[in-house]
mmCIF file of all heavy atoms in Angstrom:
data_model
loop_
_atom_site.group_PDB
_atom_site.id
_atom_site.type_symbol
_atom_site.label_atom_id
_atom_site.label_comp_id
_atom_site.label_asym_id
_atom_site.label_seq_id
_atom_site.Cartn_x
_atom_site.Cartn_y
_atom_site.Cartn_z
ATOM 1 N N GLN A 1391 -8.952 -17.072 -14.484
ATOM 2 C CA GLN A 1391 -9.136 -15.674 -14.045
ATOM 3 C C GLN A 1391 -8.707 -15.442 -12.587
ATOM 4 O O GLN A 1391 -8.133 -14.499 -12.252
ATOM 5 C CB GLN A 1391 -10.700 -15.392 -14.191
ATOM 6 C CG GLN A 1391 -11.081 -14.007 -13.765
ATOM 7 C CD GLN A 1391 -10.776 -12.960 -14.833
ATOM 8 O OE1 GLN A 1391 -11.500 -12.751 -15.737
ATOM 9 N NE2 GLN A 1391 -9.542 -12.376 -14.732
ATOM 10 N N VAL A 1392 -9.018 -16.454 -11.737
ATOM 11 C CA VAL A 1392 -8.616 -16.369 -10.294
ATOM 12 C C VAL A 1392 -7.166 -16.408 -10.221
ATOM 13 O O VAL A 1392 -6.588 -15.651 -9.381
ATOM 14 C CB VAL A 1392 -9.290 -17.524 -9.573
ATOM 15 C CG1 VAL A 1392 -8.766 -17.515 -8.091
ATOM 16 C CG2 VAL A 1392 -10.842 -17.317 -9.544
ATOM 17 N N ALA A 1393 -6.531 -17.253 -10.994
ATOM 18 C CA ALA A 1393 -5.004 -17.311 -10.903
ATOM 19 C C ALA A 1393 -4.353 -15.944 -11.295
ATOM 20 O O ALA A 1393 -3.453 -15.537 -10.651
ATOM 21 C CB ALA A 1393 -4.508 -18.471 -11.805
ATOM 22 N N ILE A 1394 -4.924 -15.332 -12.361
ATOM 23 C CA ILE A 1394 -4.379 -14.077 -12.750
ATOM 24 C C ILE A 1394 -4.586 -12.998 -11.777
ATOM 25 O O ILE A 1394 -3.717 -12.087 -11.463
ATOM 26 C CB ILE A 1394 -5.026 -13.667 -14.110
ATOM 27 C CG1 ILE A 1394 -4.510 -14.623 -15.236
ATOM 28 C CG2 ILE A 1394 -4.629 -12.260 -14.507
ATOM 29 C CD1 ILE A 1394 -5.182 -14.383 -16.547
ATOM 30 N N ILE A 1395 -5.743 -13.048 -11.125
ATOM 31 C CA ILE A 1395 -6.103 -12.008 -10.074
ATOM 32 C C ILE A 1395 -5.150 -12.208 -8.885
ATOM 33 O O ILE A 1395 -4.563 -11.137 -8.436
ATOM 34 C CB ILE A 1395 -7.591 -12.131 -9.620
ATOM 35 C CG1 ILE A 1395 -8.467 -11.756 -10.746
ATOM 36 C CG2 ILE A 1395 -7.852 -11.327 -8.403
ATOM 37 C CD1 ILE A 1395 -9.972 -12.061 -10.475
ATOM 38 N N LEU A 1396 -4.950 -13.383 -8.399
ATOM 39 C CA LEU A 1396 -4.099 -13.624 -7.263
ATOM 40 C C LEU A 1396 -2.630 -13.289 -7.580
ATOM 41 O O LEU A 1396 -1.968 -12.728 -6.676
ATOM 42 C CB LEU A 1396 -4.167 -15.152 -6.810
ATOM 43 C CG LEU A 1396 -5.562 -15.586 -6.311
ATOM 44 C CD1 LEU A 1396 -5.523 -17.062 -6.020
ATOM 45 C CD2 LEU A 1396 -6.029 -14.730 -5.111
ATOM 46 N N PHE A 1397 -2.198 -13.502 -8.801
ATOM 47 C CA PHE A 1397 -0.830 -13.273 -9.151
ATOM 48 C C PHE A 1397 -0.578 -11.760 -9.188
ATOM 49 O O PHE A 1397 0.354 -11.211 -8.710
ATOM 50 C CB PHE A 1397 -0.491 -13.941 -10.467
ATOM 51 C CG PHE A 1397 0.935 -13.724 -10.932
ATOM 52 C CD1 PHE A 1397 1.923 -14.482 -10.474
ATOM 53 C CD2 PHE A 1397 1.254 -12.726 -11.917
ATOM 54 C CE1 PHE A 1397 3.258 -14.311 -10.827
ATOM 55 C CE2 PHE A 1397 2.539 -12.589 -12.339
ATOM 56 C CZ PHE A 1397 3.552 -13.351 -11.802
ATOM 57 N N THR A 1398 -1.507 -10.981 -9.923
ATOM 58 C CA THR A 1398 -1.344 -9.651 -10.120
ATOM 59 C C THR A 1398 -1.450 -8.837 -8.773
ATOM 60 O O THR A 1398 -0.761 -7.869 -8.526
ATOM 61 C CB THR A 1398 -2.384 -9.010 -11.156
ATOM 62 O OG1 THR A 1398 -2.285 -9.838 -12.318
ATOM 63 C CG2 THR A 1398 -2.116 -7.636 -11.451
ATOM 64 N N ALA A 1399 -2.358 -9.270 -7.924
ATOM 65 C CA ALA A 1399 -2.552 -8.551 -6.600
ATOM 66 C C ALA A 1399 -1.353 -8.568 -5.843
ATOM 67 O O ALA A 1399 -1.079 -7.609 -5.102
ATOM 68 C CB ALA A 1399 -3.714 -9.291 -5.880
ATOM 69 N N ALA A 1400 -0.547 -9.646 -5.878
ATOM 70 C CA ALA A 1400 0.753 -9.661 -5.074
ATOM 71 C C ALA A 1400 1.681 -8.564 -5.482
ATOM 72 O O ALA A 1400 2.392 -7.945 -4.665
ATOM 73 C CB ALA A 1400 1.399 -11.068 -5.154
ATOM 74 N N TYR A 1401 1.742 -8.354 -6.815
ATOM 75 C CA TYR A 1401 2.731 -7.331 -7.278
ATOM 76 C C TYR A 1401 2.125 -5.925 -7.031
ATOM 77 O O TYR A 1401 2.901 -5.019 -6.662
ATOM 78 C CB TYR A 1401 2.988 -7.492 -8.742
ATOM 79 C CG TYR A 1401 3.905 -8.601 -9.141
ATOM 80 C CD1 TYR A 1401 3.455 -9.951 -9.180
ATOM 81 C CD2 TYR A 1401 5.269 -8.436 -9.232
ATOM 82 C CE1 TYR A 1401 4.345 -11.031 -9.443
ATOM 83 C CE2 TYR A 1401 6.119 -9.438 -9.477
ATOM 84 C CZ TYR A 1401 5.616 -10.730 -9.554
ATOM 85 O OH TYR A 1401 6.525 -11.844 -9.832
ATOM 86 N N ILE A 1402 0.841 -5.816 -7.117
ATOM 87 C CA ILE A 1402 0.223 -4.469 -6.827
ATOM 88 C C ILE A 1402 0.362 -4.197 -5.376
ATOM 89 O O ILE A 1402 0.654 -2.990 -4.985
ATOM 90 C CB ILE A 1402 -1.303 -4.536 -7.156
ATOM 91 C CG1 ILE A 1402 -1.492 -4.476 -8.702
ATOM 92 C CG2 ILE A 1402 -1.985 -3.305 -6.508
ATOM 93 C CD1 ILE A 1402 -1.074 -3.270 -9.374
ATOM 94 N N ALA A 1403 0.379 -5.096 -4.516
ATOM 95 C CA ALA A 1403 0.494 -4.944 -3.091
ATOM 96 C C ALA A 1403 1.924 -4.373 -2.730
ATOM 97 O O ALA A 1403 1.994 -3.357 -1.906
ATOM 98 C CB ALA A 1403 0.315 -6.291 -2.319
ATOM 99 N N GLU A 1404 2.899 -4.818 -3.381
ATOM 100 C CA GLU A 1404 4.294 -4.278 -3.140
ATOM 101 C C GLU A 1404 4.464 -2.819 -3.698
ATOM 102 O O GLU A 1404 5.101 -2.049 -3.084
ATOM 103 C CB GLU A 1404 5.341 -5.230 -3.735
ATOM 104 C CG GLU A 1404 5.559 -6.465 -3.016
ATOM 105 C CD GLU A 1404 6.046 -6.236 -1.607
ATOM 106 O OE1 GLU A 1404 7.283 -6.145 -1.455
ATOM 107 O OE2 GLU A 1404 5.246 -6.263 -0.717
ATOM 108 N N VAL A 1405 3.708 -2.567 -4.777
ATOM 109 C CA VAL A 1405 3.794 -1.199 -5.290
ATOM 110 C C VAL A 1405 3.074 -0.248 -4.347
ATOM 111 O O VAL A 1405 3.658 0.832 -4.040
ATOM 112 C CB VAL A 1405 3.157 -1.172 -6.714
ATOM 113 C CG1 VAL A 1405 2.957 0.261 -7.143
ATOM 114 C CG2 VAL A 1405 4.032 -1.952 -7.687
ATOM 115 N N VAL A 1406 1.956 -0.604 -3.873
ATOM 116 C CA VAL A 1406 1.161 0.214 -2.995
ATOM 117 C C VAL A 1406 1.931 0.317 -1.647
ATOM 118 O O VAL A 1406 1.975 1.411 -1.042
ATOM 119 C CB VAL A 1406 -0.275 -0.377 -2.766
ATOM 120 C CG1 VAL A 1406 -0.985 0.446 -1.687
ATOM 121 C CG2 VAL A 1406 -0.985 -0.343 -4.097
ATOM 122 N N ARG A 1407 2.589 -0.675 -1.181
ATOM 123 C CA ARG A 1407 3.284 -0.674 0.070
ATOM 124 C C ARG A 1407 4.439 0.354 -0.017
ATOM 125 O O ARG A 1407 4.686 1.091 0.860
ATOM 126 C CB ARG A 1407 3.886 -2.032 0.399
ATOM 127 C CG ARG A 1407 4.634 -2.009 1.775
ATOM 128 C CD ARG A 1407 4.927 -3.480 2.117
ATOM 129 N NE ARG A 1407 6.003 -3.996 1.266
ATOM 130 C CZ ARG A 1407 7.240 -3.957 1.687
ATOM 131 N NH1 ARG A 1407 7.714 -3.439 2.836
ATOM 132 N NH2 ARG A 1407 8.177 -4.632 0.839
ATOM 133 N N GLY A 1408 5.097 0.508 -1.248
ATOM 134 C CA GLY A 1408 6.113 1.517 -1.411
ATOM 135 C C GLY A 1408 5.440 2.920 -1.315
ATOM 136 O O GLY A 1408 6.079 3.774 -0.738
ATOM 137 N N GLY A 1409 4.257 3.074 -1.828
ATOM 138 C CA GLY A 1409 3.635 4.357 -1.653
ATOM 139 C C GLY A 1409 3.340 4.743 -0.184
ATOM 140 O O GLY A 1409 3.512 5.811 0.165
ATOM 141 N N LEU A 1410 2.844 3.721 0.457
ATOM 142 C CA LEU A 1410 2.598 3.917 1.998
ATOM 143 C C LEU A 1410 3.825 4.240 2.776
ATOM 144 O O LEU A 1410 3.787 5.112 3.630
ATOM 145 C CB LEU A 1410 1.923 2.717 2.567
ATOM 146 C CG LEU A 1410 0.485 2.295 1.997
ATOM 147 C CD1 LEU A 1410 0.035 0.874 2.519
ATOM 148 C CD2 LEU A 1410 -0.480 3.343 2.310
ATOM 149 N N GLN A 1411 4.886 3.568 2.368
ATOM 150 C CA GLN A 1411 6.161 3.850 3.159
ATOM 151 C C GLN A 1411 6.688 5.314 2.749
ATOM 152 O O GLN A 1411 7.513 5.796 3.533
ATOM 153 C CB GLN A 1411 7.239 2.835 2.798
ATOM 154 C CG GLN A 1411 6.916 1.501 3.444
ATOM 155 C CD GLN A 1411 7.931 0.448 3.165
ATOM 156 O OE1 GLN A 1411 8.701 0.532 2.126
ATOM 157 N NE2 GLN A 1411 8.074 -0.581 3.996
ATOM 158 N N GLY A 1412 6.313 5.790 1.563
ATOM 159 C CA GLY A 1412 6.761 7.097 1.201
ATOM 160 C C GLY A 1412 5.995 8.216 1.808
ATOM 161 O O GLY A 1412 6.386 9.397 1.629
ATOM 162 N N MET A 1413 4.977 7.937 2.517
ATOM 163 C CA MET A 1413 4.182 9.004 3.183
ATOM 164 C C MET A 1413 4.879 9.561 4.465
ATOM 165 O O MET A 1413 5.459 8.852 5.207
ATOM 166 C CB MET A 1413 2.786 8.492 3.603
ATOM 167 C CG MET A 1413 1.945 8.028 2.405
ATOM 168 S SD MET A 1413 1.673 9.344 1.311
ATOM 169 C CE MET A 1413 0.827 10.537 2.238
ATOM 170 N N ASN A 1414 4.819 10.807 4.642
ATOM 171 C CA ASN A 1414 5.394 11.503 5.813
ATOM 172 C C ASN A 1414 4.670 11.141 7.052
ATOM 173 O O ASN A 1414 3.431 11.094 7.055
ATOM 174 C CB ASN A 1414 5.366 12.994 5.570
ATOM 175 C CG ASN A 1414 6.290 13.723 6.559
ATOM 176 O OD1 ASN A 1414 6.289 13.433 7.785
ATOM 177 N ND2 ASN A 1414 7.004 14.699 6.062
ATOM 178 N N LYS A 1415 5.364 10.814 8.172
ATOM 179 C CA LYS A 1415 4.750 10.516 9.421
ATOM 180 C C LYS A 1415 3.779 11.574 9.880
ATOM 181 O O LYS A 1415 2.937 11.340 10.742
ATOM 182 C CB LYS A 1415 5.799 10.110 10.435
ATOM 183 C CG LYS A 1415 6.553 8.806 10.081
ATOM 184 C CD LYS A 1415 7.505 8.422 11.271
ATOM 185 C CE LYS A 1415 8.151 7.155 10.957
ATOM 186 N NZ LYS A 1415 9.128 6.782 12.115
ATOM 187 N N GLY A 1416 4.175 12.800 9.509
ATOM 188 C CA GLY A 1416 3.329 13.955 9.916
ATOM 189 C C GLY A 1416 1.853 13.812 9.442
ATOM 190 O O GLY A 1416 0.911 14.321 10.036
ATOM 191 N N GLN A 1417 1.625 13.093 8.362
ATOM 192 C CA GLN A 1417 0.268 12.818 7.874
ATOM 193 C C GLN A 1417 -0.558 11.938 8.810
ATOM 194 O O GLN A 1417 -1.671 12.332 9.171
ATOM 195 C CB GLN A 1417 0.283 12.139 6.529
ATOM 196 C CG GLN A 1417 1.064 12.949 5.413
ATOM 197 C CD GLN A 1417 0.273 13.997 4.868
ATOM 198 O OE1 GLN A 1417 -0.961 14.075 4.991
ATOM 199 N NE2 GLN A 1417 0.892 14.993 4.259
ATOM 200 N N PHE A 1418 0.148 10.951 9.380
ATOM 201 C CA PHE A 1418 -0.539 10.094 10.377
ATOM 202 C C PHE A 1418 -0.787 10.940 11.667
ATOM 203 O O PHE A 1418 -1.759 10.780 12.267
ATOM 204 C CB PHE A 1418 0.345 8.883 10.674
ATOM 205 C CG PHE A 1418 0.489 7.937 9.558
ATOM 206 C CD1 PHE A 1418 1.581 8.120 8.624
ATOM 207 C CD2 PHE A 1418 -0.404 6.984 9.343
ATOM 208 C CE1 PHE A 1418 1.709 7.229 7.567
ATOM 209 C CE2 PHE A 1418 -0.335 6.056 8.258
ATOM 210 C CZ PHE A 1418 0.704 6.223 7.403
ATOM 211 N N GLU A 1419 0.197 11.662 12.122
ATOM 212 C CA GLU A 1419 0.083 12.470 13.337
ATOM 213 C C GLU A 1419 -1.053 13.458 13.199
ATOM 214 O O GLU A 1419 -1.777 13.717 14.070
ATOM 215 C CB GLU A 1419 1.408 13.102 13.626
ATOM 216 C CG GLU A 1419 2.566 12.132 14.032
ATOM 217 C CD GLU A 1419 3.897 12.820 14.135
ATOM 218 O OE1 GLU A 1419 3.905 14.048 13.855
ATOM 219 O OE2 GLU A 1419 4.822 12.131 14.481
ATOM 220 N N ALA A 1420 -1.098 14.065 11.985
ATOM 221 C CA ALA A 1420 -2.218 15.107 11.784
ATOM 222 C C ALA A 1420 -3.547 14.374 11.872
ATOM 223 O O ALA A 1420 -4.519 14.993 12.380
ATOM 224 C CB ALA A 1420 -2.023 15.773 10.482
ATOM 225 N N ALA A 1421 -3.747 13.236 11.304
ATOM 226 C CA ALA A 1421 -4.972 12.473 11.359
ATOM 227 C C ALA A 1421 -5.336 12.137 12.811
ATOM 228 O O ALA A 1421 -6.523 12.236 13.198
ATOM 229 C CB ALA A 1421 -4.832 11.202 10.500
ATOM 230 N N ASP A 1422 -4.319 11.765 13.641
ATOM 231 C CA ASP A 1422 -4.545 11.423 14.927
ATOM 232 C C ASP A 1422 -4.998 12.664 15.743
ATOM 233 O O ASP A 1422 -5.874 12.606 16.697
ATOM 234 C CB ASP A 1422 -3.293 10.847 15.653
ATOM 235 C CG ASP A 1422 -3.066 9.476 15.123
ATOM 236 O OD1 ASP A 1422 -3.943 8.738 14.641
ATOM 237 O OD2 ASP A 1422 -1.806 9.006 15.195
ATOM 238 N N SER A 1423 -4.416 13.769 15.390
ATOM 239 C CA SER A 1423 -4.743 15.108 16.086
ATOM 240 C C SER A 1423 -6.112 15.538 15.931
ATOM 241 O O SER A 1423 -6.760 16.200 16.833
ATOM 242 C CB SER A 1423 -3.754 16.122 15.719
ATOM 243 O OG SER A 1423 -4.017 16.514 14.341
ATOM 244 N N ILE A 1424 -6.769 15.163 14.818
ATOM 245 C CA ILE A 1424 -8.166 15.589 14.665
ATOM 246 C C ILE A 1424 -9.153 14.403 14.986
ATOM 247 O O ILE A 1424 -10.335 14.485 14.545
ATOM 248 C CB ILE A 1424 -8.367 16.096 13.193
ATOM 249 C CG1 ILE A 1424 -8.054 14.973 12.153
ATOM 250 C CG2 ILE A 1424 -7.577 17.223 12.882
ATOM 251 C CD1 ILE A 1424 -8.316 15.420 10.710
#
């Protein structure tokens, strides 16, 4: 179970990182402004 969790998490991390990189920088700037 632990091996499957560790293996799957690495692939999920790269998918989520793609989503984070797809965010507009204006979203971060708006968060900083408030």
Side-chain angles (χ1 to χ4, degrees):
Q1391 181 78 87
V1392 172
I1394 291 173
I1395 291 173
L1396 296 178
F1397 182 81
T1398 307
Y1401 284 86
I1402 289 293
E1404 286 298 275
V1405 170
V1406 175
R1407 185 169 70 95
L1410 294 174
Q1411 290 180 335
M1413 296 301 301
N1414 194 314
K1415 291 184 178 181
Q1417 301 284 340
F1418 295 91
E1419 295 172 354
D1422 290 336
S1423 67
I1424 60 176

